[in-house]
Amino acid sequence: MLTGMDRISQLVEQYPDRKLQTLMHVINKTTLKEVHKKQETGKASGIDNVTKTEYAEKLDENLENLLARMKTFSYRPQPVRRTYIPKEGSNDKLRPLGIPAYEDRLVQGVVAELLNVIYEPRFYVFSYGFREGRDCHMAIKYLDNILMGKTSWVVDADIKGFFDNVDHEWMMKFLEHEIADKNLLRYIKRFLKAGIMEAEQFTETDSGVPQGGLCSPVMANVYLHYVLDMWFAVKAKKSSRGMAEMVRYADDFVCCFQYEDDARNFYEALKERLAKFGLELSEDKSQIIRFGRFSGGDAGTFDFLGFTIISGKSRSGNYCVKYRTSEKKLKAKRAKVKKWLWQNMHTPIGELIKKLNVKLRGHYNYYGLSHNFKKMNGFYRYVERTLFRILNRRGGKKKLNWEKFGKIIRHNPLLLPMITVPLW
């Protein structure tokens, strides 16, 4: 027998142009329990101060009560608790993070899965962010194929405060393109309008989707699908006289063109397009650059998904695109690992290096692209030097020299850098 989600997926595939009528039945005890199981234990709680463990003590009773309130529309999402976390790449800037109440997290989880089932077949091939089976490395490989082709100009664009400026009215209009279930749409709108609680101060939300909400990633994808992806594929690409391609990961996107006038016309049109839907291009972070095999010595550089992308040559002398860990990300990674080492300096050496290797492996797994070995090796050397200084500050009469440190590393080796994501 097909589950509710499977049936909806089947309908989307069979009737791609038909609006979906009745969807609320998918939010039931079974699907809510599945989302509950997926929640991590020990996560920060919302304004209700309810954790997974506490909610699970009377799970069946709590879910039945929730569903009863949803049927009578007396269930209303609580305001999202806003907190701030350090922004990667910056020592002093903080990024806002929304933490929903636990009950709201469960409902959002089912709604997010439902929206993914509905929209996944509709999303374009060049969209990669927050989609199952698609990751950053796949987006980079897709971009690499474009850059190795006829690309001569690149529009590196940045949307100013995207998650805070999503227009709620447009969001609901976009959802209504595919969804006719007014009850589901009603609850989605309630989530958007739930508001924010920060330091016991309530703030209404007239725009934006809270970063941290389970629905936010897919809703962001839906918004940009209509605002950007569809517009690029249907209009901007067809109006270009040469090659025009795009790759997008969440709100981070790059557009590639064969001719300069196509790139400049698109850049101006993009500003108007975003403004129509309440968004703004961050012009100080956006640029049009010469790039590609036909750019000669005038090729510029741009950043995408933590990498600085440059034109170069392979060992055989052929043109290739090279990827380097961006200085901004590298600086943030160094600061992060240095802080962690200071906080754990009194951990036994064997255990300390074992935990440090987990962090190094994560770094190599992400940044281990072809041609990026030098940058990874530089990070490894920085970690090695920092570890040496930390161990020297542990106290004791005997100071550690490099010879003694070498013996420690031979018994507890640091994980060496490696290429983990070959592009060819």
Side-chain angles (χ1 to χ4, degrees):
M1 290 181 64
L2 293 174
T3 64
M5 289 290 184
D6 290 335
R7 178 58 182 156
I8 291 167
S9 178
Q10 188 182 73
L11 288 172
V12 170
E13 185 177 348
Q14 289 178 345
Y15 309 103
D17 298 325
R18 181 187 296 180
K19 284 189 179 185
L20 296 164
Q21 300 288 333
T22 53
L23 299 170
M24 280 298 292
H25 66 278
V26 174
I27 306 177
N28 53 48
K29 199 171 181 179
T30 301
T31 54
L32 289 169
K33 274 189 175 181
E34 288 175 358
V35 173
H36 167 75
K37 289 177 184 177
K38 293 176 184 177
Q39 301 305 304
E40 293 181 28
T41 303
K43 294 280 282 185
S45 59
I47 66 167
D48 58 346
N49 291 321
V50 176
T51 64
K52 177 181 179 179
T53 304
E54 292 169 342
Y55 198 84
E57 290 175 1
K58 296 181 179 179
L59 183 61
D60 288 316
E61 183 181 331
N62 286 333
L63 293 180
E64 286 168 6
N65 178 270
L66 169 61
L67 290 168
R69 282 181 286 129
M70 291 192 75
K71 286 178 181 178
T72 59
F73 292 99
S74 58
Y75 162 71
R76 288 190 173 275
Q78 299 182 62
V80 172
R81 182 170 73 85
R82 173 166 280 181
T83 185
Y84 292 88
I85 59 175
K87 189 174 183 179
E88 194 166 315
S90 175
N91 293 328
D92 53 352
K93 291 185 178 180
L94 298 174
R95 181 170 67 88
L97 184 70
I99 304 175
Y102 190 78
E103 199 170 60
D104 299 337
R105 192 179 298 175
L106 299 183
V107 180
Q108 280 196 41
V110 180
V111 172
E113 187 178 349
L114 178 58
L115 292 177
N116 275 318
V117 167
I118 295 169
Y119 282 95
E120 182 58 34
R122 295 177 166 90
F123 289 146
Y124 285 88
V125 67
F126 53 76
S127 167
Y128 284 88
F130 307 122
R131 294 178 63 187
E132 188 175 352
R134 288 169 166 253
D135 57 26
C136 294
H137 294 144
M138 294 174 71
I140 289 170
K141 288 180 180 181
Y142 186 88
L143 176 61
D144 187 73
N145 287 329
I146 298 170
L147 296 175
M148 288 293 291
K150 296 179 180 180
T151 297
S152 292
W153 294 88
V154 168
V155 175
D156 176 25
D158 183 270
I159 301 175
K160 187 183 292 184
F162 168 72
F163 284 93
D164 293 328
N165 292 297
V166 169
D167 186 280
H168 289 174
E169 295 306 315
W170 277 114
M171 182 79 253
M172 297 310 299
K173 287 179 182 178
F174 294 151
L175 292 171
E176 287 166 7
H177 274 292
E178 316 298 343
I179 299 171
D181 188 330
K182 292 184 178 180
N183 293 333
L184 177 64
L185 292 171
R186 185 176 177 180
Y187 275 119
I188 290 175
K189 191 165 187 177
R190 283 186 180 182
F191 277 118
L192 290 172
K193 300 289 185 182
I196 294 168
M197 188 69 74
E198 183 178 351
E200 299 184 359
Q201 186 74 33
F202 174 77
T203 305
E204 292 184 357
T205 46
D206 297 322
S207 63
V209 288
Q211 289 180 312
L214 274 68
C215 275
S216 299
V218 63
M219 290 176 75
N221 263 345
V222 170
Y223 200 81
L224 286 174
H225 170 74
Y226 289 104
V227 172
L228 184 62
D229 299 357
M230 186 177 289
W231 172 70
F232 184 87
V234 174
K235 189 173 181 181
K237 186 174 180 177
K238 291 182 179 179
S239 63
S240 298
R241 64 188 182 93
M243 183 278 295
E245 297 291 346
M246 182 179 112
V247 60
R248 179 176 68 82
Y249 191 94
D251 61 330
D252 195 359
F253 64 99
V254 173
C255 300
C256 304
F257 298 89
Q258 185 176 356
Y259 299 116
E260 181 180 3
D261 58 336
D262 287 339
R264 298 197 180 280
N265 290 338
F266 169 77
Y267 187 83
E268 294 303 319
L270 177 63
K271 289 189 283 187
E272 294 180 12
R273 178 71 180 178
L274 293 178
K276 179 180 177 181
F277 298 97
L279 302 175
E280 184 182 352
L281 193 67
S282 180
E283 295 196 54
D284 58 329
K285 295 181 181 179
S286 303
Q287 58 178 339
I288 303 172
I289 62 168
R290 189 83 186 271
F291 196 93
R293 65 173 68 247
F294 308 109
S295 58
D298 298 329
T301 66
F302 64 97
D303 287 1
F304 184 63
L305 299 181
F307 292 91
T308 297
I309 304 174
I310 63 176
S311 289
K313 289 186 178 181
S314 65
R315 290 180 180 178
S316 58
N318 296 320
Y319 173 80
C320 68
V321 179
K322 296 186 176 182
Y323 301 83
R324 304 280 191 261
T325 309
S326 75
E327 286 301 322
K328 182 180 177 181
K329 294 294 183 182
L330 193 56
K331 183 180 178 181
K333 291 286 183 181
R334 286 175 173 174
K336 194 173 181 180
V337 76
K338 181 180 179 180
K339 182 180 179 181
W340 182 85
L341 281 169
W342 277 106
Q343 291 173 339
N344 294 272
M345 65 182 298
H346 296 296
T347 304
I349 292 175
E351 185 182 343
L352 178 67
I353 293 179
K354 186 178 179 180
K355 291 180 178 179
L356 186 57
N357 280 338
V358 173
K359 297 184 179 297
L360 286 171
R361 182 174 287 107
H363 185 83
Y364 301 155
N365 283 343
Y366 186 80
Y367 290 102
L369 264 66
S370 305
H371 294 300
N372 197 34
F373 185 84
K374 188 175 179 180
K375 283 283 187 180
M376 287 196 300
N377 193 55
F379 181 71
Y380 167 83
R381 293 300 177 190
Y382 174 82
V383 172
E384 186 181 48
R385 291 193 303 271
T386 306
L387 177 62
F388 174 75
R389 289 197 295 270
I390 295 297
L391 294 180
N392 252 317
R393 297 295 297 272
R394 283 162 63 110
K397 294 181 179 179
K398 292 184 179 180
K399 288 293 182 181
L400 188 68
N401 56 36
W402 279 101
E403 184 179 351
K404 292 178 182 177
F405 180 73
K407 290 180 180 178
I408 291 173
I409 295 301
R410 280 194 291 274
H411 284 90
N412 303 277
L414 281 173
L415 191 65
L416 295 171
M418 66 194 83
I419 299 298
T420 56
V421 189
L423 289 174
W424 308 286

